[in-house]
């Protein structure tokens, strides 16, 4: 008779431990999802800052934001981000304080357009 309560207690403890393991797994999944969303938000904000700075002719802000975009760009957007950084560097080196280079503006617009689905999923 003593073994029945012991079996019930053991079963309850195993169920509790199993639930804790599942909870730990879910907490880890949520932590990973949160980190991914934070990284995506930073990337999207950097895209907005870079394109706005290019459009408004703010070379220092544009360079800083474009460098951030490049550092955080997903693999499939890295070539476009690299192109914006390179064209921006050339424009700044050529003293284009207004950042009017059509190739730079087109590259920035293309990068922004390619990030719409990632940054503004509706």
């Amino acid at each position: 008779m003593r073994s029945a309560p012991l079996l019930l207690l053991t079963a309850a403890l195993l169920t509790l431990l199993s639930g804790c393991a599942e909870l730990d797994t879910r907490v880890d999944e949520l932590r990973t999802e949160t980190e991914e969303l934070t990284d995506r938000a930073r990337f999207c904000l950097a895209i907005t800052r870079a394109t706005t700075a290019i459009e408004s002719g703010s070379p220092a802000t544009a360079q800083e934001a474009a460098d951030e975009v490049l550092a955080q760009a997903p693999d499939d957007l890295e070539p476009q981000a690299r192109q914006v950084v390179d064209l921006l560097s050339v424009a700044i080196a050529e003293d284009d304080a207004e950042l009017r280079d059509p190739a730079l503006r087109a590259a920035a617009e293309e990068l922004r357009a390619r990030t719409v689905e990632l940054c503004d999923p509706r």
Side-chain angles (χ1 to χ4, degrees):
M1 289 293 240
R2 286 187 171 170
S3 63
L6 183 58
L7 285 175
L8 287 173
L9 180 59
T10 302
L13 285 173
L14 288 175
T15 302
L16 180 63
L17 290 176
S18 173
C20 289
E22 288 177 25
L23 182 60
D24 283 345
T25 300
R26 185 64 185 137
V27 167
D28 288 342
E29 289 171 0
L30 288 172
R31 185 175 293 124
T32 300
E33 289 174 18
T34 301
E35 289 170 1
E36 289 171 1
L37 286 172
T38 301
D39 290 344
R40 182 185 307 171
R42 283 186 187 130
F43 174 73
C44 294
L45 287 172
I47 288 283
T48 301
R49 283 183 55 230
T51 56
T52 301
I54 289 169
E55 289 170 3
S56 66
S58 301
T61 301
Q63 184 71 59
E64 180 184 310
D67 289 342
E68 188 176 342
V69 168
L70 181 59
Q72 297 178 12
D75 291 342
D76 61 323
L77 296 173
E78 193 273 332
Q80 290 78 22
R82 167 67 57 204
Q83 182 182 25
V84 170
V85 168
D86 292 346
L87 289 169
L88 186 57
S89 295
V90 169
I92 291 170
E94 292 177 353
D95 222 13
D96 180 8
E98 298 297 314
L99 303 177
R100 298 262 184 232
D101 178 22
L104 169 61
R105 288 178 174 250
E109 179 56 30
E110 178 187 346
L111 179 59
R112 189 204 56 76
R114 293 202 54 202
T115 63
V116 168
E117 187 175 317
L118 176 70
C119 295
D120 191 16
R122 292 182 187 211

